[in-house]
Amino acid sequence: MVTARPWLHGFLDLCLLAMLRERPDYGYGLSQRLSAAGVADVPGGTLYPALLRLEQQGLAEPSWMPSEAGPRRKYYALTPAGRAVLADQAAEWRAFRDGVDSLVGASADATGGGLR
């Protein structure tokens, strides 16, 4: 189990938008996909406000769908505005990731292996 980290809040919207690009999904399904990807186990108190924020910003559009296992579920689909924001944020993420990788890699090289 990978627990949620404080820095996840900064990347959760990007992760949600990326998953919604693949297919519409509901909150619990998105939570399971985040966990399966090794990102984190995201509690509902973090996940659902993020989904509401994406909805209010017009980046994700909700719709209610019937469920085979109980009450209907609120599914979220990526909007065209969400696709545009995802493209911008993904480019920013790659630049950020490369910068961190260069620092972490330099730290690992300086210590003769891995970080401790």
Side-chain angles (χ1 to χ4, degrees), residues 73-100:
R73 296 177 174 156
K74 189 176 188 179
Y75 276 75
Y76 295 86
L78 197 62
T79 65
R83 287 188 186 282
V85 167
L86 173 59
D88 290 344
Q89 287 185 0
E92 291 173 11
W93 166 254
R94 285 188 288 275
F96 175 77
R97 179 203 58 207
D98 291 347
V100 171

Side-chain angles (χ1 to χ4, degrees), residues 20-84:
L20 293 175
R21 175 187 56 203
E22 294 173 14
R23 69 176 189 271
D25 209 345
Y26 62 104
Y28 184 72
L30 291 163
S31 175
Q32 294 292 3
R33 290 168 63 191
L34 284 166
S35 184
V39 174
D41 288 329
V42 180
T46 300
L47 179 67
Y48 291 101
L51 289 168
L52 179 60
R53 184 173 53 252
L54 294 177
E55 180 182 342
Q56 290 173 337
Q57 293 172 348
L59 306 179
E61 183 175 28
S63 62
W64 289 96
M65 305 286 283
S67 168
E68 296 176 9
R72 47 189 200 139
R73 296 177 174 156
K74 189 176 188 179
Y75 276 75
Y76 295 86
L78 197 62
T79 65
R83 287 188 186 282

